[in-house]
Amino acid sequence: QSDCIQELASCFLDVASSTNQPLPEFDKDDDMAMRFVTAASNLRSYVFQIDPIQSLYSAKGIAGNIIPAIATTNAIVAGLQVLQCFHILKAQLSTSNKSDGNDDGAVDETSNLKKTCRYTYCLRDKTRKGYYLQPTTLPEPNPNCFVCRNAIISLTLNTQEWSLDMLLSRVIKKELGFQEPTILVGGDIVYEEGEDIDPSEYAINLPKKLVNLPSGGVTHGSVIRIEDYSQDLEVDVNVSHKDKWMMKADDDKGAEKVDDREEIDKFEIGGKKPVAAATAADSSDGAKDNIAQDPAAADDDDDDDIEIIIEDDTEKDTAAASSNGKKRKSGTEDDGNKAKKAKVDTDDVIEIE
């Protein structure tokens, strides 16, 4: 840090004592400019605890890859995101004030955020009023969108006391409704269930505490990915650590006391819980139930009806002649006599002497 301060002061002294004026624009090949940028950026990294500290050559490589247009766009987008964060904080404060005032009207978090936040377009050409930013209301989540359909919920618990087995049985299966979950921590699978999965493969991780799991464990701020392909269900769980739990006392004063429940009952889930998609088996069961309730519908949809077609003798003779490769003449025979008339169906018995 002291070296960066000395380097920054040296750049000011060199500029003051030099007869040559510095370049009007930044150039990564200008030694003095790169010394100044490197020292200033490293001091900023010290202030905001950004690692690692860059050397002169590393900073020169980064500066050479910066495109001004992209940097400006990123700054605009980052500023708009911060403004939306202010809207969210304002809405949360308003909701908490209503709760403190014992307002009976429940406030839906999703609808409240939809009314508060805005989707902002950055326009190339200004509007008639001279604006380059055009805010609009937030659209409805698209169920076909990979980002919109993925649920994100929050989970608060003691990561040092909870084991993976407790999390699996109490939260993932009982509260969230997963049947064959796959649990990923840091992109690596720590537990998996399914038809082709050996239960003993991940059994070693079940008794482990969450902080001791592979891939760095689960700590405050960790994100756990849970998937269940049998239900077409997936969710990201944002974990928060909390080791001290308080509960309201039984007296009328409303004082708080230490929560004496078992550890497996000390947790909080925030956000909307994911809902499993309808499976093909459920659809077929529903169709069977409909048929059971309405027998007439089963008769209309019956594809097993058999229709019997009886061919007469003329069609049989025609088919036989066609199969022999000869056409049957429709009018007369070869000797000029008229063809025999078709056989007439009759129930009378004719005797020939």
Side-chain angles (χ1 to χ4, degrees), residues 93-94 97 123 125 134 201 209 236 249 293:
L93 289 175
S94 177
N97 291 336
L123 306 178
D125 300 324
Q134 185 66 40
E201 184 176 357
K209 303 298 182 182
D236 289 336
Q293 295 175 2

Side-chain angles (χ1 to χ4, degrees), residues 105-118:
V107 179
D108 186 6
E109 183 179 356
T110 303
S111 61
N112 193 20
L113 290 179
K114 184 179 179 181
K115 294 177 181 179
T116 304
C117 297
R118 292 292 180 266

Side-chain angles (χ1 to χ4, degrees), residues 20 39 187 190 248:
N20 298 327
V190 297
K248 290 185 177 181

Side-chain angles (χ1 to χ4, degrees), residues 25-28 62-77:
E25 296 181 358
F26 174 77
D27 185 3
K28 65 181 181 63
I62 295 173
N65 293 326
I66 294 177
I67 301 175
I70 296 179
T72 305
T73 305
N74 290 340
I76 294 173
V77 173

Side-chain angles (χ1 to χ4, degrees), residues 4-232:
C4 294
I5 296 175
Q6 293 178 1
E7 186 67 26
L8 192 65
S10 176
C11 291
F12 285 117
L13 293 175
D14 292 343
V15 171
S17 61
S18 176
T19 57
N20 298 327
Q21 294 295 327
L23 297 176
E25 296 181 358
F26 174 77
D27 185 3
K28 65 181 181 63
D29 295 324
D30 185 2
D31 182 65
M32 184 178 298
M34 283 308 308
R35 287 166 49 204
F36 175 82
V37 169
T38 303
S41 62
N42 284 337
L43 287 176
R44 178 176 176 273
S45 299
Y46 280 118
V47 172
F48 294 99
Q49 299 179 356
I50 300 175
D51 293 327
I53 301 301
Q54 303 294 333
S55 64
L56 177 65
Y57 298 101
S58 299
K60 187 174 183 179
I62 295 173
N65 293 326
I66 294 177
I67 301 175
I70 296 179
T72 305
T73 305
N74 290 340
I76 294 173
V77 173
L80 293 175
Q81 290 176 343
V82 173
L83 291 177
Q84 297 304 316
C85 289
F86 288 151
H87 293 321
I88 295 174
L89 292 175
K90 185 178 179 180
Q92 290 179 348
L93 289 175
S94 177
T95 304
S96 61
N97 291 336
K98 290 182 180 180
S99 302
D100 296 339
N102 296 325
D103 189 1
D104 295 335
V107 179
D108 186 6
E109 183 179 356
T110 303
S111 61
N112 193 20
L113 290 179
K114 184 179 179 181
K115 294 177 181 179
T116 304
C117 297
R118 292 292 180 266
Y119 189 93
T120 306
Y121 289 93
C122 298
L123 306 178
R124 291 180 178 271
D125 300 324
K126 61 182 178 181
T127 62
R128 290 178 296 177
K129 295 183 178 180
Y131 299 146
Y132 286 94
L133 300 177
Q134 185 66 40
T136 60
T137 57
L138 292 178
E140 294 290 341
N142 183 5
N144 297 324
C145 175
F146 179 78
V147 177
C148 295
R149 71 181 181 183
N150 289 343
I152 300 178
I153 63 174
S154 61
L155 175 62
T156 304
L157 46 75
N158 191 340
T159 58
Q160 298 178 354
E161 297 294 335
W162 276 67
S163 64
L164 180 60
D165 190 18
M166 295 167 60
L167 178 68
L168 179 65
S169 59
R170 184 66 178 88
V171 177
I172 296 178
K173 290 189 174 181
K174 186 175 181 179
E175 295 293 333
L176 301 182
F178 284 82
Q179 296 179 359
E180 297 179 354
T182 299
I183 306 175
L184 297 91
V185 176
D188 296 332
I189 299 177
V190 297
Y191 184 80
E192 188 175 11
E193 290 185 8
E195 296 180 357
D196 302 330
I197 305 301
D198 185 7
S200 61
E201 184 176 357
Y202 298 100
I204 190 175
N205 291 331
L206 290 176
K208 292 182 179 179
K209 303 298 182 182
L210 296 181
V211 293
N212 298 327
L213 289 175
S215 302
V218 178
T219 57
H220 183 77
S222 299
V223 178
I224 302 176
R225 178 82 172 173
I226 307 174
E227 301 173 348
D228 190 343
Y229 295 106
S230 65
Q231 299 175 279
D232 192 17

Side-chain angles (χ1 to χ4, degrees), residues 159-350:
T159 58
Q160 298 178 354
E161 297 294 335
W162 276 67
S163 64
L164 180 60
D165 190 18
M166 295 167 60
L167 178 68
L168 179 65
S169 59
R170 184 66 178 88
V171 177
I172 296 178
K173 290 189 174 181
K174 186 175 181 179
E175 295 293 333
L176 301 182
F178 284 82
Q179 296 179 359
E180 297 179 354
T182 299
I183 306 175
L184 297 91
V185 176
D188 296 332
I189 299 177
V190 297
Y191 184 80
E192 188 175 11
E193 290 185 8
E195 296 180 357
D196 302 330
I197 305 301
D198 185 7
S200 61
E201 184 176 357
Y202 298 100
I204 190 175
N205 291 331
L206 290 176
K208 292 182 179 179
K209 303 298 182 182
L210 296 181
V211 293
N212 298 327
L213 289 175
S215 302
V218 178
T219 57
H220 183 77
S222 299
V223 178
I224 302 176
R225 178 82 172 173
I226 307 174
E227 301 173 348
D228 190 343
Y229 295 106
S230 65
Q231 299 175 279
D232 192 17
L233 193 61
E234 51 190 359
V235 65
D236 289 336
V237 180
N238 190 3
V239 179
S240 299
H241 174 75
K242 184 177 181 180
D243 53 0
K244 294 181 179 180
W245 293 81
M246 305 296 292
M247 61 185 302
K248 290 185 177 181
D250 298 334
D251 54 11
D252 298 335
K253 297 180 180 180
E256 292 185 346
K257 65 176 183 178
V258 178
D259 193 345
D260 55 358
R261 293 178 299 171
E262 295 183 3
E263 191 65 40
I264 197 171
D265 294 326
K266 298 177 183 178
F267 67 93
E268 292 178 355
I269 298 178
K272 188 176 181 180
K273 296 181 181 180
V275 179
T279 59
D282 296 336
S283 301
S284 61
D285 293 340
K288 291 178 181 178
D289 295 339
N290 293 335
I291 293 176
Q293 295 175 2
D294 188 5
D299 297 337
D300 295 339
D301 297 336
D302 193 359
D303 296 335
D304 296 334
D305 295 341
I306 301 175
E307 183 178 0
I308 302 175
I309 300 175
I310 303 176
E311 298 179 354
D312 57 9
D313 296 338
T314 305
E315 293 176 350
K316 290 181 179 180
D317 295 340
T318 305
S322 300
S323 62
N324 293 331
K326 297 180 181 180
K327 260 189 185 178
R328 177 174 178 144
K329 295 182 180 181
S330 59
T332 58
E333 296 290 337
D334 295 338
D335 56 358
N337 298 330
K338 292 183 179 180
K340 294 182 179 179
K341 293 182 180 180
K343 181 179 179 181
V344 180
D345 293 336
T346 179
D347 294 337
D348 297 336
V349 179
I350 301 174

